[in-house]
């Protein structure tokens, strides 16, 4: 449990990873040797064959690749782990490597391993020397590793720009692989130790510090150990006959310190066990042995000094290991710090350089960018100006349209406002004007009415004047005279007044010949009747209406003189009564009634009255027409008033 | 009187009377004259032819005068009193 854990934890550190790479060559090369010897099992044969072939391929490919350029390309690009392999080969200067150098180096390593093994075999006192050699080895290995890592770091720094990722991935892959291998080797060692322990012979104090030292401190020492223990590597199998021999000797001296003086190791090693669990384990094992020896009192006496000695040695060894480890750690840390500083400086330099280059590029880019920006600015400004120009035109046009629209709108508003104002004014002063105009209209109406009234009055006046003129000339004149002129004037006046009745009456009068001849004055008519017509009519008063011959007339004339003259309104239908009534009416100036009375007569009397009746009728016609006109004029004047 | 040219209607009878008288005188004188001649020539101064011819003359004058007063009176005819106005006019 503890061993496996410890064995796995240590190689996982970065320090160990680099060194394992180197150890790999040592592990691979020996594998080729046992290949032909093992043909017992097919699986193992196949495994070993493939391992050998793969190893040969991977190791031989770089040598071939250095000679052949196309193969170099193929190997680095196509074969997995080929690039890292090539890298490793370049780092270790395989180009210049020859078979002799390989052989010499392998011999050297073998010799050193042998020396180490012999040292370990020589005894517990040799632990210090062994540790010293181990320290020396580790120092060398560290120096080498530092050198390697430096080379690799420089090469990696040179290749940083091209493919860091690939490199890291391959490096990690390599590290993983090698750490696996290393852990496997450690595991095998541990198993071996366990097997040695469980074989009953007991753990040896010399080998116990070896395992932790190898597992915890320095992998190069492990490599040296393993070159010795490589032969018995296959776990669970029997040890190969030829190569397993160097290993058993270290196991044999181990049971010696099993003397039981009954001292206990574990309490005395408390300080060490805290840091070294394996030592603690070993101490526990020794304690177990001690307890076992206690149970066997026979061996007790012998074992006591040995155990004491073992205890002292163990404590001294633990202290020594601790010290060496601390020294080594300090040294390594110092070296690592120095390396770190160096690489930091290098990195800084590179960074500075890259920075300078970047600055230069940046400046160039900036200048180009400035130029481009200026050009683009110019172009865009021109474009912008054009755009602005067109926009300005557009806006101006739109503004003009808007101004026109607003002007129209304003005009409309003004008109509306003016209308409103006018309405208000009308509500105020113009209302008075309206009133005044209404008054004026009323006045006008009144004036018109007045004028029409006046006109009517004038017309009526004219009518009356014409009527009076006509009546005076036609009716009341003392002599008979034509009155057509007056009648025409009257008729015009009546026509101007649009009096249909008067016009009709006057037209009927005008149509006859009465206005030309005039009418008899009433006095003439009366005189004519009384003086001429009435006596002669009275002479024929007795003449019969029909068949009145000469004799009838003569008789009527003869007897009419004999009759009494009647006066006034008398009754009777005879001619004399009618004549008396007519005479009475004429005396009363009633021509109409007189004419009506005389119009009743018939026969010879009517013949005699014919002319007089005509004259009377004419006069009556004129008189009637004038009366109609007069009535109309009266009516008109009454309407006017 | 007032109408000089046509005689006035009331003077119609007077005119008829005047014309009848003139006609009688002419016709009676013609008859008398004719009777005197006849008596002297034919009847040796006898008187009855003179009276007869004067009578004839006077009679013709009377007939004419009567016809002038009543022109509708025609021998052999009789006027019914239903239509007196038309005769008179």
């Amino acid at each position: 449990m503890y061993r496996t854990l410890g064995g796995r934890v240590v190689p996982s550190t970065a320090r160990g990873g680099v060194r394992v790479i180197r150890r790999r060559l040592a592990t691979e090369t020996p594998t080729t040797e046992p290949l032909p010897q093992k043909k017992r099992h097919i699986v193992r044969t196949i495994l070993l064959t493939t391992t050998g072939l793969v190893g040969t391929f991977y190791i031989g490919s770089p040598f071939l690749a250095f000679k052949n350029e196309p193969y170099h390309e193929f190997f680095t690009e196509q074969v997995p782990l080929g690039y890292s392999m090539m890298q490793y080969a370049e780092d270790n200067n395989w180009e210049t490597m020859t078979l002799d150098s390989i052989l010499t180096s392998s011999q050297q390593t073998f010799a050193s391993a042998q020396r180490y093994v012999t040292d370990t075999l020589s005894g517990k006192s040799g632990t210090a020397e062994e540790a010293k050699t181990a320290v020396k080895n580790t120092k060398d290995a560290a120096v080498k590793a530092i050198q390697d890592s430096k080379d690799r770091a420089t090469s990696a720094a040179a290749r940083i720009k091209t493919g860091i990722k690939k490199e890291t991935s391959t490096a990690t892959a390599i590290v993983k692989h090698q750490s696996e291998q290393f852990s496997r080797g450690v595991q095998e060692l541990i198993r071996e130790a366990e097997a040695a322990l469980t074989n009953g012979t007991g753990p040896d104090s010399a080998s116990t510090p070896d395992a932790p030292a190898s597992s915890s401190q320095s992998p190069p020492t492990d490599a040296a150990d393993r070159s010795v223990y490589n032969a018995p590597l296959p776990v669970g199998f029997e040890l190969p006959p030829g190569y397993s021999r160097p290993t058993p000797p270290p196991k044999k001296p181990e049971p010696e310190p099993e003397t039981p003086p009954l001292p206990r190791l574990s309490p005395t090693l408390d300080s060490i066990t805290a840091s070294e669990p394996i030592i603690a384990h070993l101490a526990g094992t020794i304690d177990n042995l001690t307890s076992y020896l206690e149970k066997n009192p026979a061996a007790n006496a012998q074992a006591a000094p040995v155990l004491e000695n073992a205890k002292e040695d163990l404590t001294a060894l633990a202290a020594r290991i601790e010290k060496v480890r601390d020294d080594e750690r300090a040294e390594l840390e110092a070296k690592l710090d120095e390396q770190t500083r160096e690489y930091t400086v290098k990195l800084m330099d590179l960074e500075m350089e890259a920075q300078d280059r970047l600055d230069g590029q940046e400046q160039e880019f900036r200048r180009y960018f400035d130029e481009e920006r200026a050009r683009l600015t110019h172009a865009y400004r021109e474009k912008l100006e054009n755009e602005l120009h067109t926009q300005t035109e557009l806006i101006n046009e739109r503004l003009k349209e808007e101004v026109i629209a607003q002007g129209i709108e304003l005009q409309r508003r003004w008109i509306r406002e003016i209308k409103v104002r006018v309405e208000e004014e009308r509500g105020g002063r113009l209302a008075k004007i309206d009133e005044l105009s209404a008054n004026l209209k009323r006045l006008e109406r009144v004036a018109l009415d007045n004028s029409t009234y006046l006109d009517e009055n004038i017309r009526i006046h004219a009518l009356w004047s014409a009527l009076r003129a006509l009546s005076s000339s036609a009716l009341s004149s003392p002599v008979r005279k034509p009155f057509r002129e007056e009648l025409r004037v009257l008729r015009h006046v009546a026509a101007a007044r649009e009096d249909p009745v008067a016009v009709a009456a006057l037209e009927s009068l005008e149509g006859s010949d009465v206005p030309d001849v005039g009418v008899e004055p009433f006095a003439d008519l009366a005189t004519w009747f009384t003086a001429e017509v009435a006596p002669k009519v009275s002479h024929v008063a007795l003449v019969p209406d029909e068949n009145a011959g000469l004799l009838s007339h003569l008789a009527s004339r003869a007897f009419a003189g004999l009759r009494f003259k009647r006066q006034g309104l008398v009754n009777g239908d005879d001619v004399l009564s009618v004549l008396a009534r007519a005479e009475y009416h004429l005396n009363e100036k009633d021509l109409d009634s007189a004419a009506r009375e005389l119009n009743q007569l018939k026969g010879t009397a009517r013949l005699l009255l014919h002319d007089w009746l005509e004259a009377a009728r004419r006069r009556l016609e004129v008189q009637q027409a004038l009366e109609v006109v007069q009535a109309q004029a009266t009516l008109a004047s009454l309407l006017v008033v | 009187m007032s109408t000089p040219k046509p005689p006035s209607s009331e003077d119609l009878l007077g005119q008829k009377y005047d014309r009848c008288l003139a006609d009688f005188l002419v016709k009676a004188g013609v008859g008398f004259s004719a009777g005197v001649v006849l008596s002297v020539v034919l009847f040796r101064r006898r008187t009855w032819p003179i009276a007869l011819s004067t009578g004839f003359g006077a009679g013709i004058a009377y007939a004419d005068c009567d016809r002038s007063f009543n022109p509708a009176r025609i021998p052999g005819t009789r006027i019914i009193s239903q239509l007196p106005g038309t005769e008179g006019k």
Side-chain angles (χ1 to χ4, degrees):
Chain A
M1 269 282 275
Y2 279 113
R3 278 171 209 166
T4 51
L5 201 142
R8 267 175 198 171
V9 165
V10 176
S12 67
T13 57
R15 255 184 287 169
V18 182
R19 288 154 198 167
V20 170
I21 295 164
R22 269 189 75 244
R23 196 199 58 205
R24 184 183 156 167
L25 184 63
T27 52
E28 299 283 1
T29 38
T31 47
T32 52
E33 295 163 9
L35 259 177
Q37 293 178 349
K38 290 165 189 175
K39 292 175 185 174
R40 262 177 257 173
H41 304 286
I42 300 165
V43 176
R44 200 196 319 174
T45 316
I46 288 167
L47 191 72
L48 289 173
T49 314
T50 49
T51 313
L53 284 175
V54 166
T56 315
F57 170 72
Y58 270 103
I59 290 160
S61 289
F63 293 103
L64 188 58
F66 288 134
K67 302 276 165 43
N68 197 354
E69 191 62 26
Y71 184 77
H72 183 273
E73 279 183 17
F74 166 78
F75 183 68
T76 49
E77 287 170 11
Q78 301 295 326
V79 179
L81 292 174
Y83 182 76
S84 56
M85 195 65 207
M86 284 302 295
Q87 201 65 40
Y88 180 74
E90 281 172 8
D91 293 343
N92 289 337
N93 298 324
W94 283 10
E95 290 175 79
T96 56
M97 203 180 277
T98 56
L99 267 177
D100 296 335
S101 65
I102 291 169
L103 282 173
T104 50
S105 67
S106 62
Q107 274 175 351
Q108 275 178 357
T109 51
F110 187 76
S112 66
Q114 208 170 17
R115 203 187 325 132
Y116 173 73
V117 169
T118 49
D119 288 347
T120 49
L121 284 174
S122 61
K124 15 206 157 176
S125 59
T127 48
E129 287 172 17
E130 187 204 341
K132 264 180 195 168
T133 54
V135 165
K136 216 175 272 176
N137 281 345
T138 50
K139 230 179 238 178
D140 294 343
V143 169
K144 261 187 190 174
I146 285 160
Q147 192 65 38
D148 287 350
S149 59
K150 206 182 279 181
D151 292 344
R152 287 192 63 187
T154 49
S155 63
R159 279 196 309 275
I160 269 171
K161 281 161 201 173
T162 56
I164 294 168
K165 271 188 193 174
K166 209 194 271 179
E167 206 255 354
T168 49
S169 66
T170 49
T172 49
I174 289 160
V175 166
K176 218 177 263 180
H177 177 70
Q178 286 162 354
S179 66
E180 252 173 50
Q181 274 195 340
F182 172 68
S183 66
R184 208 190 307 152
V186 171
Q187 268 184 329
E188 280 160 5
L189 251 184
I190 288 159
R191 273 195 212 115
E192 162 71 13
E194 271 180 355
L197 283 173
T198 50
N199 271 346
T201 53
D204 52 340
S205 57
S207 72
T208 40
D210 191 12
S214 67
S215 61
S216 66
Q217 270 186 319
S218 52
T221 54
D222 272 348
D225 286 341
R226 276 218 280 145
S227 65
V228 179
Y229 291 116
N230 215 352
L233 247 178
V235 184
F237 293 97
E238 285 183 17
L239 295 169
Y243 291 86
S244 58
R245 263 156 217 163
T247 47
K251 287 174 192 171
K252 269 159 192 171
E254 279 168 18
E256 285 172 13
E258 288 173 8
T259 46
L262 303 178
R264 298 288 172 158
L265 280 173
S266 46
T268 56
L269 288 170
D270 273 345
S271 61
I272 300 160
T273 51
S275 61
E276 295 291 334
I278 295 164
I279 292 172
H281 193 70
L282 269 173
T285 317
I286 293 163
D287 284 347
N288 285 341
L289 276 171
T290 316
S291 59
Y292 172 70
L293 284 172
E294 273 174 4
K295 284 168 191 172
N296 297 346
N300 208 352
Q302 287 178 342
V306 178
L307 274 174
E308 194 68 34
N309 202 10
K311 181 189 131 192
E312 281 172 10
D313 285 351
L314 198 58
T315 48
L317 175 65
R320 179 69 183 167
I321 286 166
E322 195 72 20
K323 191 182 166 234
V324 166
R325 195 165 51 186
D326 286 349
D327 289 351
E328 190 71 16
R329 191 181 295 158
E331 196 178 344
L332 279 173
E333 272 176 2
K335 268 181 190 169
L336 277 171
D337 283 350
E338 195 184 339
Q339 238 174 328
T340 309
R341 226 175 297 130
E342 195 179 333
Y343 291 135
T344 313
V345 168
K346 270 187 185 174
L347 269 173
M348 286 285 279
D349 286 350
L350 280 170
E351 208 172 310
M352 290 280 278
E353 194 181 340
Q355 191 69 32
D356 286 351
R357 213 178 300 158
L358 278 173
D359 284 352
Q361 247 177 349
E362 193 183 339
Q363 272 184 353
E364 198 176 336
F365 279 140
R366 189 162 293 163
R367 193 172 50 78
Y368 181 71
F369 171 71
D370 284 347
E371 280 178 10
E372 196 71 9
R373 190 173 60 181
R375 197 169 58 77
L376 281 174
T377 310
H378 188 63
Y380 276 110
R381 191 162 293 162
E382 273 185 6
K383 208 191 267 183
L384 190 71
E385 274 174 6
N386 281 338
E387 284 280 317
L388 271 175
H389 192 61
T390 49
Q391 286 277 1
T392 313
E393 279 181 359
L394 278 172
I395 285 165
N396 277 342
E397 208 161 318
R398 208 184 305 154
L399 278 175
K400 219 175 276 177
E401 283 176 6
E402 275 182 14
V403 162
I404 289 165
Q406 268 190 347
I408 290 166
E409 183 68 24
L410 274 175
Q411 240 170 349
R412 213 175 291 155
R413 204 180 297 162
W414 283 338
I415 287 165
R416 216 176 299 143
E417 208 166 321
I418 285 166
K419 271 185 186 172
V420 169
R421 285 275 174 79
V422 164
E423 286 298 322
E424 283 177 6
E425 284 291 324
R426 226 173 248 169
R429 292 178 195 173
L430 290 181
K432 285 175 188 170
I433 289 173
D434 274 355
E435 201 175 329
L436 280 174
S437 73
N439 282 340
L440 265 177
K441 271 183 185 170
R442 217 176 303 149
L443 270 175
E444 195 180 306
R445 176 74 54 77
V446 168
L448 278 173
D449 286 354
N450 204 17
S451 71
T452 50
Y453 179 74
L454 283 173
D455 284 352
E456 196 73 25
N457 265 350
I458 287 163
R459 231 172 280 140
I460 288 164
H461 186 69
L463 184 66
W464 272 112
S465 300
L467 186 65
R468 266 195 296 275
L470 182 58
S471 68
S472 68
S473 71
L475 295 178
S476 50
S477 76
V479 290
R480 172 180 174 172
K481 54 179 179 183
F483 55 91
R484 184 161 284 274
E485 198 64 24
E486 288 86 352
L487 180 65
R488 193 171 55 79
V489 170
L490 179 61
R491 187 174 153 270
H492 283 168
V493 171
R497 277 197 68 247
E498 294 179 350
D499 195 346
V501 179
V503 167
L506 289 174
E507 268 186 355
S508 69
L509 188 59
E510 204 176 17
S512 62
D513 56 348
V514 177
D516 295 327
V517 296
V519 292
E520 293 287 340
F522 181 74
D524 280 4
L525 276 177
T527 310
W528 183 12
F529 180 72
T530 50
E532 303 271 334
V533 177
K536 285 174 184 171
V537 170
S538 65
H539 281 167
V540 293
L542 293 174
V543 175
D545 291 339
E546 297 129 18
N547 296 324
L550 180 62
L551 284 176
S552 315
H553 285 92
L554 286 176
S556 168
R557 177 134 195 185
F559 289 112
L562 295 177
R563 290 177 70 172
F564 296 103
K565 187 139 175 143
R566 307 184 75 154
Q567 295 290 335
L569 278 171
V570 291
N571 294 322
D573 288 336
D574 60 311
V575 176
L576 285 177
S577 305
V578 169
L579 281 175
R581 286 203 292 270
E583 202 165 358
Y584 170 77
H585 285 307
L586 278 179
N587 286 337
E588 297 287 326
K589 299 203 186 260
D590 190 356
L591 184 63
D592 186 22
S593 300
R596 285 176 195 278
E597 288 290 344
L598 290 176
N599 205 23
Q600 295 173 22
L601 291 177
K602 289 167 186 160
T604 316
R606 190 176 174 88
L607 272 176
L608 297 180
L609 280 170
H610 182 263
D611 276 1
W612 190 87
L613 274 176
E614 277 298 313
R617 195 182 295 125
R618 257 184 247 142
R619 183 183 171 83
L620 282 172
E621 278 177 1
V622 172
Q623 201 172 343
Q624 194 179 17
L626 286 180
E627 274 173 4
V628 167
V629 172
Q630 193 177 352
Q632 285 294 326
T634 309
L635 183 62
S637 59
L638 280 174
L639 281 173
V640 164
V641 173
Chain B
M1 322 284 175
S2 54
T3 50
K5 203 169 62 173
S8 183
S9 63
E10 66 268 13
D11 293 331
L12 277 173
L13 279 180
Q15 279 180 336
K16 282 180 181 176
Y17 282 133
D18 289 345
R19 282 180 192 151
C20 280
L21 186 61
D23 191 46
F24 178 75
L25 286 177
V26 168
K27 284 174 178 171
V30 167
F32 177 73
S33 309
V36 167
V37 168
L38 276 172
S39 109
V40 168
V41 172
L42 290 172
F43 299 108
R44 300 157 225 181
R45 292 197 158 178
R46 290 190 193 200
T47 50
W48 55 277
I50 298 172
L52 186 67
S53 58
T54 308
F56 276 128
I60 289 167
Y62 174 76
D64 288 339
C65 186
D66 196 38
R67 208 178 290 125
S68 74
F69 275 99
N70 192 3
R73 183 187 285 182
I74 300 161
T77 61
R78 181 188 164 85
I79 292 166
I80 303 159
S81 61
Q82 287 285 334
L83 307 163
T86 52
E87 305 293 320
K89 280 247 172 150

